[in-house]
Amino acid sequence: MKLVTVDYHIHSTWSDGYSSIEGILNYCIRKGLQSIGITDHYSHNTVKCSQITENLSEYFSELQSLSDAYRNKILLRKGIEIDTRACVFDSPEECRILTSKKFDYYLFEYVTDNFGAGANFLPYKNNRMPLILLNRIRDFKKLLPKECSVGLAHAYLHILPEEELEEAIELIIDADIFVELNSTYQNYKMDGFEKIFETEEIKLSLGSDAHTLHQIGKLEQPLKYVKGYHAEDRLVFMDGIDALEVEIKRI
């Protein structure tokens, strides 16, 4: 069996994951991963079990401290996943909080699945239509340092009408937003996603959305799609990665 050596969507006990960040790091080192990203939920929805909405500084400090401590063994990228259903991320107060730390990247979830579970959590449904959200994310990205990346987590692009999908693709390219291939939601298999693969200007990321250790690095299927479209050079956060896969005996 093989594991992919990068995984840029992992949850810890800072939200609804089951392992500490250090526990995740040690597991990944044992399994031969080279680079990971912790992306705990920033959400006011209690289902997400997010602790970082009230303790963002402590969360960031732990990420930074462990990134430094383990830098000779594994690369840890500091991430955060923003729940667009349950966070007014571009309000003045939320903006001030979210941009106060130098995260390596931000993931935005529930951007194109406006009608999914919890879509009515916020009272301003019209402000959550996919194209409006993408414009809001583009404006948010302008507040970040140039080296900071922004991506769409498990985006269900197949629900967009063709004309709207084309406009969404233009926005994604214009804002330099990467699109995640999520092995849990398997969004890369869905109708409409082939247009993302076929659009060479769009950057891609690999993420398991792991909440337990055994899910981490299980990205062989999305990687096959990347290779099938010859899109390896579009993957983000690949600096210093010398092999995309590692053979393991057991998980």
Side-chain angles (χ1 to χ4, degrees):
M1 184 178 290
K2 292 182 178 180
L3 284 183
V4 175
T5 60
V6 302
D7 191 337
Y8 296 118
H9 192 154
I10 301 173
H11 295 283
S12 77
T13 49
W14 275 99
S15 58
D16 52 358
Y18 287 88
S19 298
S20 67
I21 298 174
E22 189 159 22
I24 291 168
L25 286 167
N26 284 315
Y27 173 86
C28 291
I29 291 166
R30 291 197 305 272
K31 296 300 181 182
L33 274 72
Q34 298 182 30
S35 178
I36 65 168
I38 302 296
T39 52
D40 278 303
H41 295 289
Y42 187 94
S43 174
H44 297 294
N45 186 344
T46 55
V47 173
K48 296 292 187 179
C49 305
S50 176
Q51 300 180 54
I52 66 175
T53 49
E54 301 297 330
N55 302 283
L56 189 69
S57 292
E58 291 84 348
Y59 170 68
F60 182 85
S61 294
E62 182 173 336
L63 285 173
Q64 185 64 64
S65 175
L66 290 172
S67 175
D68 293 341
Y70 283 81
R71 67 173 52 188
N72 294 325
K73 297 179 181 180
I74 190 170
L75 176 60
L76 171 62
R77 295 187 185 272
K78 303 178 292 295
I80 184 171
E81 184 177 22
I82 297 173
D83 182 353
T84 63
R85 302 174 308 177
C87 166
V88 191
F89 61 87
D90 50 357
S91 70
E93 181 60 16
E94 296 280 19
C95 260
R96 183 189 65 78
I97 294 169
L98 287 166
T99 61
S100 65
K101 304 299 176 186
K102 292 185 178 180
F103 287 99
D104 295 313
Y105 65 109
Y106 294 74
L107 290 178
F108 286 83
E109 63 175 337
Y110 307 120
V111 173
T112 56
D113 52 345
N114 196 47
F115 307 104
N120 296 325
F121 183 82
L122 289 176
Y124 48 92
K125 287 191 294 182
N126 290 338
N127 207 25
R128 287 206 66 259
M129 297 307 291
L131 293 179
I132 294 175
L133 268 176
L134 283 169
N135 274 292
R136 291 169 60 199
I137 292 168
R138 178 177 60 181
D139 290 342
F140 178 87
K141 188 173 185 288
K142 293 175 182 178
L143 303 174
L144 303 174
K146 288 185 178 180
E147 63 272 16
C148 183
S149 299
V150 167
L152 304 181
H154 47 76
Y156 281 121
L157 294 160
H158 67 292
I159 73 163
L160 300 180
E162 185 173 354
E163 186 175 324
E164 194 168 341
L165 176 58
E166 293 295 337
E167 192 171 346
I169 287 173
E170 290 179 9
L171 278 167
I172 289 167
I173 294 171
D174 178 66
D176 193 22
I177 294 170
F178 66 82
V179 176
E180 177 189 76
L181 313 182
N182 187 294
S183 59
T184 296
Y185 288 81
Q186 298 187 336
N187 60 324
Y188 53 90
K189 292 183 177 181
M190 296 179 180
D191 292 342
F193 209 93
E194 67 273 6
K195 291 193 176 181
I196 298 299
F197 282 121
E198 292 166 357
T199 306
E200 296 182 356
E201 298 91 339
I202 296 179
K203 295 177 183 176
L204 307 169
S205 73
L206 294 170
S208 66
D209 210 342
H211 292 71
T212 60
L213 293 177
H214 77 273
Q215 295 174 291
I216 297 173
K218 288 189 173 179
L219 290 155
E220 191 174 1
Q221 286 300 312
L223 182 57
K224 283 182 180 178
Y225 276 75
V226 170
K227 291 179 177 180
Y229 282 92
H230 307 290
E232 294 95 326
D233 61 344
R234 290 161 55 191
L235 291 171
V236 297
F237 310 139
M238 296 304 296
D239 293 348
I241 306 301
D242 54 30
L244 261 175
E245 294 176 289
V246 59
E247 193 78 39
I248 61 170
K249 293 183 179 180
R250 58 178 295 186
I251 302 224

